[in-house]
Amino acid sequence: MHTPHSADGASARPPHRPDPAGGCPHADNARLLAEGAVARVVLPGEVEGMAVLGHDALREFLSHPDVAKDARHFTALAEGRIPEGWPLRTFATVPGMTTADGADHRRLRTLVSSAFTARRVEELRPRVEAVTAGLLDDLAGAAEAGGGVADLRRHYALPLPLGVICELFGVDPAHQDRLHRLSSLVVATDTEPARAVAANQELVALLASVVTAKSAAPGDDLTSALIAAHGEDGDRLSGPELIGTLLLMIIAGHETTLNLITNAVRALCAHRDQLALVVEGRATWADVVEETLRWDSPVSYFPFRYPTRDLTVDGTLIPRGTPVLAGYSAAGRDTKAHGPDADRFDVTRATTAKHLSLGHGPHYCLGAPLARLEATTALEALFTRFPALDLAVPEDGLTRHAGFVGNSVRTLPVRLSV
C-alpha cells in the first residue's frame, strides 16, 4: 500500500525544475520518489505541470480513462499561454497517434500497426543482422582511424535504428543525417525558440518532399501505403496526420532505440560481471535489454498527458488540463516495485513488476518488437566480435543528452580491444 499524502503536502514542497539542458536523472528521481509518487514540476518558460514517478501510480495513470493525449485538453495551450517556440510544443501538437484519443487514436494506430507485429518484425531479422554486420566493419574502421577509439553512438547505435526505420518508410539514405539532426533539435528541451520553430518547419518540409516523391513513384514501403490510405479515403488520414505520422515514426523509431543500445553498452562496460553472465549463457541478451529499459530508461520524462477532470493519483490532486510528464526513468528504479536494490543493474533480476519504459495502456509503444530485435541483435553482434570492448573515458566524463525527455549521453567513445 502507498501511504497517501495530501495535495496540500505535495503543493507545500517547492516544485521540481527539470534541467532543460539535461543531465543524469537518477539522483533527482530518488529524491522526488522519497517524497511521493507524484511531483509538481515547472517546465521551461515557467509552465506549471506535474510528473508521475512511482511505478504503480504511473501504471494506473497511463491507462486511466480520464487521462487524454489530445492537446485540446491542455488548459494553458487552449488559453493561448504557450508560445509558438516553446521547446515542448511539438510533443503536444504534432498531428498523429501520440496526440489522439479513442477512435481517432485507434484509426491512426491501425494504419501502421500491421508493419510492427511480432511476425512482421521477425521477417526483418535477416536485414537487421546484415545492417549490423556492415556497421561493425564501419566501427572497426572508425577506431582504426581514431587511434583505437571510436564513438559507438555515432557509428553503431545511431545508424542501425535510423537506417532500418528509413528503409521501412522508403526514405532516401541521403536524408538520414539531416533527419537525425532535426529530430535531435525537436526532442531537445533546451533548443532556442526561433531555432525550434525553424527545425520543425524544416523537418515538416523534408517529410513533405518525401511524400511528394512517393506520391509520384510509390514503392513497397510504409510511406507509400500511408499515401494510398489517404488517397482511398481522406477521412482515414488527413494530410497533416500523414506528415505527423511520418515525423513520429521516424523520430520515435530511432531516438529511443539509439538511447537503449547506448545505455546497454554503458551498463555492460560498467558491470563486467553481468556481461560475463550473458557470455556464459546464464542470462540472455534479451535479459540485458529488459534490465537496461528498467534501470536506465531511454526516455526519462515523456510529454504529455492531461487529466480531463480533477484527478487524485496516489493521494495527490492533479487538476484538470495540467500537462503531465510520464516519469519512466524514475518508475524503473522505484524500490516499492523493484525491491530495495532497484538502483542495481542485475540481468538476472526476478521481480513481479514489469518495467513501464515502453509505456502501458492504449499508447503502449507500437515499435517495441522492432526496438527489442534491433537492440538484442546489436548487443550480441558487438560483444561477440569485440569481447574486450570498453569505454575509452570514465563514465562520469561522458556528456549527457540535451534535454530531460531523452536519457542517454551525446557520445560514447569506446576502445574495441585492450
Side-chain angles (χ1 to χ4, degrees), residues 141-266:
E144 201 173 320
V149 175
D151 178 4
L152 184 129
R153 189 172 168 92
R154 176 183 162 196
H155 293 287
Y156 191 66
L158 168 64
L160 173 59
L162 182 58
V164 170
I165 202 72
C166 285
E167 208 169 289
L168 274 175
F169 280 88
V171 176
D172 190 318
H175 294 317
Q176 288 184 18
D177 285 350
R178 191 163 157 228
L179 274 172
H180 176 62
R181 180 177 59 76
L182 293 170
S183 297
S184 299
L185 287 170
V186 167
V187 301
T189 47
D190 62 347
T191 307
E192 290 295 317
R195 202 172 179 208
V197 171
N200 270 289
Q201 289 172 343
E202 190 181 339
L203 188 53
V204 167
L206 176 56
L207 294 172
S209 73
V210 171
V211 169
T212 301
K214 287 291 169 187
S215 299
D220 181 20
D221 56 73
L222 280 175
T223 302
S224 298
L226 289 171
I227 292 166
H230 173 54
E232 286 164 21
D233 181 358
D235 291 339
R236 288 188 68 201
L237 190 70
S238 70
E241 284 173 341
L242 173 57
I243 298 291
T245 298
L246 278 180
L247 185 145
L248 159 72
M249 297 307 293
I250 290 169
I251 293 181
H254 87 273
E255 287 279 351
T256 49
T257 309
L258 159 62
N259 289 351
L260 170 57
I261 294 169
T262 303
N263 291 358
V265 172
R266 286 170 51 226

Side-chain angles (χ1 to χ4, degrees), residues 218-383:
D220 181 20
D221 56 73
L222 280 175
T223 302
S224 298
L226 289 171
I227 292 166
H230 173 54
E232 286 164 21
D233 181 358
D235 291 339
R236 288 188 68 201
L237 190 70
S238 70
E241 284 173 341
L242 173 57
I243 298 291
T245 298
L246 278 180
L247 185 145
L248 159 72
M249 297 307 293
I250 290 169
I251 293 181
H254 87 273
E255 287 279 351
T256 49
T257 309
L258 159 62
N259 289 351
L260 170 57
I261 294 169
T262 303
N263 291 358
V265 172
R266 286 170 51 226
L268 290 169
C269 288
H271 303 83
R272 305 303 292 198
D273 59 321
Q274 300 299 303
L275 177 57
L277 291 174
V278 186
V279 173
E280 293 160 12
R282 290 153 60 194
T284 66
W285 293 107
D287 294 331
V288 173
V289 168
E290 296 311 309
E291 180 65 348
T292 303
L293 284 164
R294 180 200 71 80
W295 184 74
D296 207 13
S297 172
V299 175
S300 196
Y301 290 109
F302 192 74
F304 288 116
R305 283 171 169 80
Y306 321 95
T308 56
R309 63 174 176 83
D310 289 357
L311 205 61
T312 300
V313 178
D314 193 54
T316 296
L317 176 71
I318 305 180
R320 178 177 68 84
T322 301
V324 181
L325 300 171
Y328 292 124
S329 63
R333 296 197 186 188
D334 183 353
T335 54
K336 291 191 175 87
H338 300 290
D341 68 342
D343 63 350
R344 187 165 65 87
F345 182 74
D346 177 5
V347 297
T348 63
R349 179 178 300 278
T351 56
T352 50
K354 184 163 172 33
H355 70 74
L356 300 169
S357 295
L358 294 167
H360 177 68
H363 286 272
Y364 180 78
C365 175
L366 191 62
L370 180 58
R372 287 181 164 119
L373 169 66
E374 290 172 338
T376 51
T377 303
L379 293 170
E380 180 171 13
L382 180 69
F383 284 100

Side-chain angles (χ1 to χ4, degrees), residues 4 7 15 17 41 67 81 84 86-87 128 131 135 161-162 175 187 191 194 219 247 250-251 292 318 332 337 389 414:
R17 292 176 175 268
V41 296
V67 171
R81 292 189 276 124
E84 187 65 33
W86 191 53
V128 171
V131 172
L135 291 173
L162 182 58
H175 294 317
V187 301
T191 307
L247 185 145
I250 290 169
I251 293 181
T292 303
I318 305 180
L389 179 142
V414 296

